[in-house]
Amino acid sequence: MNNWFSKLQKAKKSCIIDRNSRKVHYDFEDGKELVEQYDLLTNCVTRRAWRTNKELKGEDAWDIEVGDPEPKYDAEQKCMIRENSTQPFITRRITKINLEWRIRNMPYPIDVYSVTIDKGSYSLIVRTTNKKYYKEINVPDLERLGIEMNQENVNFCHKFNTLIITYKKPQGLREFEATLLEEIKKIPAKNYDDEINGCKPS
């Protein structure tokens, strides 16, 4: 494969089965941590999160790459901090055939948007002709593998005030995912319920 696959192979790994999900935790030699959650039915990643330095950022400070962002809380008022209901925000999904981004709170008609690739930075550039929105979206899945991006793989549509962008997975990414999944299935998996039941109060 490539350097990224080798890095995953060398990392210390653990796996837990929790209901319909397979959760894999990676500890890398450089101190970084990665957690990926797979749907057991589709074998697609539903969540991917990174922690670079837990000593500096705190035990719960994870950077979400795929899936919904972590809720934020106000420690003083002990309540959840809600996102501005009118501001655009992005969530990421992965399907069997596509990488997907949903930008919510985008009220403009479909002909206002353009989505183009920036090959030099493995990014998608989202802009509107009315100059109300501009965003550079990094595509780390392809960057880690060094797979060149192709404009023909980009599609987007607009509905319910949401711009939905899809990038068709190239063959190299699909092959990587299939090979990695076989490696993951070799990791001895613990059952989440058994782990909880096995914890005895002190």
Side-chain angles (χ1 to χ4, degrees), residues 104-150:
R104 304 187 188 280
N105 297 330
M106 297 287 273
Y108 318 114
I110 185 66
D111 57 359
V112 167
Y113 304 98
S114 71
V115 182
T116 56
I117 66 170
D118 182 356
K119 293 185 178 181
S121 62
Y122 290 98
S123 297
L124 294 169
I125 306 299
V126 184
R127 54 167 61 90
T128 59
T129 56
N130 60 11
K131 299 183 179 180
K132 297 289 186 180
Y133 187 82
Y134 177 92
K135 184 70 175 179
E136 183 175 336
I137 302 174
N138 185 245
V139 188
D141 315 68
L142 303 182
E143 184 175 6
R144 285 188 285 258
L145 299 176
I147 297 176
E148 184 176 350
M149 297 184 68
N150 190 327

Side-chain angles (χ1 to χ4, degrees), residues 175-192:
E175 291 175 354
F176 166 80
E177 290 177 334
T179 303
L180 179 60
L181 182 63
E182 291 306 310
E183 290 293 314
I184 287 172
K185 289 180 178 179
K186 298 176 184 177
I187 304 172
K190 299 179 180 179
N191 187 282
Y192 178 79

Side-chain angles (χ1 to χ4, degrees), residues 13-200:
K13 295 178 282 291
S14 60
C15 181
I16 289 180
I17 303 297
D18 181 8
R19 299 179 179 85
N20 295 321
S21 297
R22 184 194 307 271
K23 299 178 181 179
V24 184
H25 183 275
Y26 298 86
D27 274 308
F28 296 102
E29 294 178 350
D30 58 6
K32 293 181 180 179
E33 294 176 76
L34 168 65
V35 172
E36 290 189 321
Q37 182 171 315
Y38 290 78
D39 184 295
L40 288 177
L41 295 178
T42 65
N43 288 322
C44 290
V45 173
T46 58
R47 190 170 187 79
R48 179 182 293 144
W50 290 88
R51 182 160 60 182
T52 303
N53 191 325
K54 61 184 178 182
E55 293 181 359
L56 292 178
K57 302 182 70 175
E59 285 295 323
D60 297 324
W62 290 86
D63 294 322
I64 308 303
E65 181 180 311
V66 176
D68 295 329
E70 295 281 2
K72 298 179 181 180
Y73 293 90
D74 187 313
E76 294 182 0
Q77 299 184 17
K78 297 182 179 180
C79 64
M80 184 183 297
I81 301 174
R82 297 185 180 277
E83 298 283 348
N84 188 321
S85 60
T86 63
Q87 292 297 313
F89 66 96
I90 303 175
T91 57
R92 268 207 64 188
R93 298 286 184 272
I94 294 179
T95 70
K96 284 184 174 294
I97 61 174
N98 292 320
L99 305 176
E100 180 182 292
W101 297 262
R102 291 175 179 251
I103 310 180
R104 304 187 188 280
N105 297 330
M106 297 287 273
Y108 318 114
I110 185 66
D111 57 359
V112 167
Y113 304 98
S114 71
V115 182
T116 56
I117 66 170
D118 182 356
K119 293 185 178 181
S121 62
Y122 290 98
S123 297
L124 294 169
I125 306 299
V126 184
R127 54 167 61 90
T128 59
T129 56
N130 60 11
K131 299 183 179 180
K132 297 289 186 180
Y133 187 82
Y134 177 92
K135 184 70 175 179
E136 183 175 336
I137 302 174
N138 185 245
V139 188
D141 315 68
L142 303 182
E143 184 175 6
R144 285 188 285 258
L145 299 176
I147 297 176
E148 184 176 350
M149 297 184 68
N150 190 327
Q151 186 66 40
E152 293 180 356
N153 290 349
V154 179
N155 282 289
F156 63 94
C157 63
H158 183 265
K159 55 185 177 182
F160 306 120
N161 281 349
T162 300
L163 183 67
I164 303 171
I165 303 167
T166 59
Y167 188 91
K168 185 178 178 180
K169 291 179 180 178
Q171 182 66 24
L173 177 56
R174 294 198 300 270
E175 291 175 354
F176 166 80
E177 290 177 334
T179 303
L180 179 60
L181 182 63
E182 291 306 310
E183 290 293 314
I184 287 172
K185 289 180 178 179
K186 298 176 184 177
I187 304 172
K190 299 179 180 179
N191 187 282
Y192 178 79
D193 291 332
D194 292 342
E195 288 291 294
I196 294 297
N197 294 333
C199 294
K200 297 181 180 179

